[in-house]
């Protein structure tokens, strides 16, 4: 791998990202532009942007590494990442868009008429977003270290700076263009080396023989994977986290607020399923080829197999060029996902911490936009300072913990809040607290030092199978015990969530209904 070519490719991606972001700045002027791109993003464009931000370091680098080390069992990561959008399509996509909210805390406050529930949601958005940002920074550091030998913190710093510039410059409208471009770059960067390896291998049957030899053994774990405890439980728990955690990821949900209506949100999700399905065909192929050409990477966790495989197969110029392309795609993965997460976290920090204070001195879109820019800086500083704490975990494992936390908190809130009219405010708060504490404790133990073996290791390593049901049960039981705390506007909220936009229903200024007395409206743009 040529460091000069790889750095050049990364530089081109960075410049393209900044250039596209500055183009978005030219048309981003209002609060609605910064938060939801004025709710005017078409399904195909939005689907490319969603796929761009969703395919993170765990998808681009981590899945191939896990399959290389652990064999066919890790294909469930690709399945779960994709099926999560099917769950989102069926259960929450259209109703969430019809809610008219700008952020998850907005939805929670207006559905349950409680500022306390909003504050809990705000804290969870920051927590989940930070946990998900850590592997992006870790992956950026790994990529730069692999191609140049520079310290890991250099790559993380580059991603942090570029993301803050883009998000602060143009908000959601700006990064929509950036993320759509980056999806197609990532797909090209991942697919092209595979096609070239299969077409240009210098021995006519070399690749076929290698693939046949690898195919006989690739499904089985290699030596380092022997430590997995209770694999059946771990697989089901992982699937639960990925399938139901997707609907609780703040950077994914905020994208559905940018669609014009609920029908467009559903169409967007269908296109996303197709785009993700195509992308996830390729990481397992890197793992299979890695068993033949780079088996030594197993001892390092396998996360660099995508970056190093082209150079292992083609030691000369061809390998250098393909390696540079892959490095560019990997960097695009870190930038796009980090941008989406930063927008989601910044929106919450802005609305719940900064806006009320800045409005003491002035008002209007000017102050709203500038407070959002300050929030975007804060949203990146927190995870950057904490990014060294996840060094012991693989990229996909760290992301899996973020999915488990989302599945244990926002999934019950959204599914029951949208479909069960007897859910009470107290039940919503209790479910968020219980699920959040359970999944957060597991994530913290994993970061500090997971148990060495047995059921404790399995339960802590993959907590979704017990933390998510615990949260659902808590919501149902507490809601049954507190029927007097069911929001007074529940019936009206349900009508608005489930009535198609073609029916003339007054949806109010970006909210489900008027806020309770004493709670100020954060945003005033018409839906």
């Amino acid at each position: 791998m040529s460091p000069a070519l790889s750095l050049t490719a990364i530089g081109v991606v960075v410049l393209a990202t900044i250039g596209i972001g500055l183009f978005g700045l030219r048309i981003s002027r209002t609060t609605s532009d910064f938060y939801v791109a004025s709710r005017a993003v078409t399904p195909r464009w939005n689907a490319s942007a969603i796929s761009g931000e969703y395919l993170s370091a765990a998808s681009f680098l981590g899945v191939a590494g896990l399959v290389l080390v652990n064999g066919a069992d890790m294909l469930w990561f690709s399945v779960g990442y994709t099926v999560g959008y099917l769950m989102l399509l069926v259960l929450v996509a259209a109703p969430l868009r019809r809610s008219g909210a700008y952020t998850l805390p907005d939805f929670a406050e207006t559905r349950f008429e409680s500022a306390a529930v909003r504050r809990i949601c705000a804290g969870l958005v920051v927590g989940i977003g930070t946990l998900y940002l850590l592997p992006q920074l870790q992956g950026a550091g790994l990529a730069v270290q692999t191609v140049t030998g520079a310290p890991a913190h250099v790559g993380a710093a580059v991603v942090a700076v570029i993301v803050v510039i883009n998000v602060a410059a143009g908000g959601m409208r700006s990064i929509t263009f950036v993320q759509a471009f980056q999806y197609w770059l990532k797909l090209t960067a991942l697919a092209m080396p595979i096609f070239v390896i299969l077409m240009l291998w210098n021995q006519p049957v070399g690749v076929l023989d290698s693939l046949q030899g690898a195919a006989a053994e690739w499904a089985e774990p290699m030596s380092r994977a022997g430590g997995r405890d209770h694999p059946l439980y771990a697989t089901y728990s992982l699937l639960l986290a990925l399938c139901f955690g997707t609907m609780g990821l703040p950077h994914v949900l905020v994208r559905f607020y940018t669609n014009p209506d609920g029908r467009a949100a559903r169409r967007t999700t269908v296109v996303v399923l197709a785009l993700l399905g195509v992308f996830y065909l390729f990481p397992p192929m890197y793992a299979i080829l890695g068993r033949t050409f780079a088996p030594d990477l197993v001892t390092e966790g396998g996360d660099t197999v995508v970056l190093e495989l082209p150079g292992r197969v083609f030691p000369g110029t061809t390998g250098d060029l393909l390696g540079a392309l892959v490095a560019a795609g990997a960097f695009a993965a870190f930038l796009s996902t980090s941008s989406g997460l930063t927008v989601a976290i910044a929106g919450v920090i802005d609305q719940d911490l900064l806006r009320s204070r800045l409005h003491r001195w002035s008002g209007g879109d000017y102050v709203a936009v500038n407070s959002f820019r300050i929030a975007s800086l804060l949203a990146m500083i927190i995870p950057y300072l904490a990014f060294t704490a996840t060094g012991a975990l693989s990229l996909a494992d760290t992301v899996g913990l973020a999915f488990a936390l989302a599945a244990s908190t926002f999934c019950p809130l959204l599914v029951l809040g949208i479909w069960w009219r007897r859910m009470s405010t107290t039940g919503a708060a209790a479910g968020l607290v219980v699920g959040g504490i359970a999944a957060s404790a597991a994530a913290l133990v994993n970061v500090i030092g997971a148990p060495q073996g047995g059921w404790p290791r399995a339960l802590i390593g993959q907590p979704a199978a017990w933390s998510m049901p615990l949260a659902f049960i808590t919501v149902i039981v507490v809601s049954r015990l507190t029927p007097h705390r069911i929001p007074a506007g529940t019936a009206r909220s349900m009508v608005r969530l489930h009535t198609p936009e073609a029916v003339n229903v007054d949806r109010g200024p970006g909210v489900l209904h008027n806020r309770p007395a004493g709670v100020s409206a954060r945003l005033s743009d018409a839906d």
Side-chain angles (χ1 to χ4, degrees), residues 101-462:
Y102 280 77
T103 64
L104 265 172
D106 271 344
F107 170 84
E109 182 184 10
T110 53
R111 168 63 178 86
F112 298 104
E113 303 177 13
S114 170
V117 173
R118 180 191 180 94
R119 286 192 291 271
I120 297 172
C121 287
L124 286 169
V125 166
V126 175
I128 293 171
T130 299
L131 190 59
Y132 210 137
L133 269 171
L134 292 177
Q136 312 315 314
L137 299 175
Q138 180 186 349
L142 180 66
V144 171
Q145 190 173 44
T146 300
V147 301
T148 69
H153 65 81
V154 174
V158 171
V159 166
V161 171
I162 300 304
V163 166
V164 170
I165 290 173
N166 264 350
V167 173
M172 180 61 77
R173 187 177 287 277
S174 176
I175 69 165
T176 295
F177 299 128
V178 171
Q179 290 171 335
F181 156 75
Q182 287 171 337
Y183 166 77
W184 295 104
L185 173 61
K186 285 186 281 189
L187 180 61
T188 302
L190 201 63
M192 185 64 71
I194 295 295
F195 289 134
V196 173
I197 288 172
L198 296 178
M199 293 173 61
L200 300 183
W201 180 248
N202 57 11
Q203 300 176 14
V205 295
V207 167
L208 293 179
D209 288 345
S210 298
L211 285 175
Q212 288 172 359
E217 300 179 354
W218 80 274
E220 297 298 325
M222 295 186 79
S223 58
R224 191 173 181 271
R228 291 188 77 222
D229 295 290
H230 305 287
L232 185 62
Y233 164 83
T235 297
Y236 281 111
S237 186
L238 173 67
L239 281 175
L240 281 174
L242 299 181
C243 290
F244 294 97
T246 301
M247 69 178 65
L249 295 177
H251 67 299
V252 169
L253 292 179
V254 74
R255 275 273 159 215
F256 288 92
Y257 304 139
T258 66
N259 283 120
D261 51 43
R263 182 170 179 268
R266 286 198 179 99
R267 290 176 59 194
T268 295
T269 311
V270 172
V271 179
V272 168
L273 285 168
L275 296 179
L276 295 182
V278 172
F279 181 90
Y280 281 121
L281 292 174
F282 296 101
M285 300 180 72
Y286 279 89
I288 295 173
L289 290 168
R291 288 286 180 103
T292 298
F293 296 104
D296 56 295
L297 297 181
V298 172
T299 60
E300 302 172 10
D303 282 336
T304 62
V305 65
V306 173
L307 295 168
E308 297 197 28
L309 183 65
R312 299 291 185 94
V313 179
F314 301 110
T317 303
T318 302
D320 290 341
L321 291 173
L322 293 176
L325 179 62
V326 171
F331 225 74
F334 313 139
L335 289 171
S336 58
T337 302
S338 299
S339 297
L341 288 164
T342 303
V343 166
I345 299 172
V348 169
I349 293 176
D350 176 26
Q351 290 193 49
D352 292 276
L353 296 178
L354 297 181
R355 187 75 62 82
S356 59
R357 292 168 174 79
L358 291 177
H359 269 291
R360 293 175 185 173
W361 294 284
S362 184
D365 276 334
Y366 177 78
V367 169
V369 166
N370 279 279
S371 65
F372 180 88
R373 287 169 171 162
I374 296 171
S376 66
L377 178 61
L378 296 176
M380 180 54 73
I381 287 176
I382 297 171
Y384 181 77
L385 293 177
F387 120 88
T388 55
T390 58
L393 295 175
S394 73
L395 298 178
D397 284 341
T398 309
V399 170
L401 292 172
F403 272 83
L405 180 57
S408 303
T409 52
F410 289 132
C411 176
L413 180 84
L414 290 169
V415 172
L416 295 178
I418 289 173
W419 296 100
W420 189 38
R421 63 178 61 247
R422 298 184 64 181
M423 184 174 177
S424 70
T425 299
T426 307
L432 289 170
V433 171
V434 171
I437 290 176
S440 297
L444 184 61
V445 171
N446 272 283
V447 170
I448 295 175
Q452 294 302 308
W455 274 108
R457 177 179 179 182
L459 293 172
I460 295 297
Q462 295 290 347

Side-chain angles (χ1 to χ4, degrees), residues 2 27 35 41 47 49 99 133 159 179 210 225 291 304 338 340 347 428 437 473 486 506 512:
S2 169
I27 54 177
Y35 276 92
V41 184
S99 73
L133 269 171
V159 166
Q179 290 171 335
S210 298
R291 288 286 180 103
T304 62
S338 299
I437 290 176
I473 292 171
I486 296 175
D506 177 19
L512 284 170

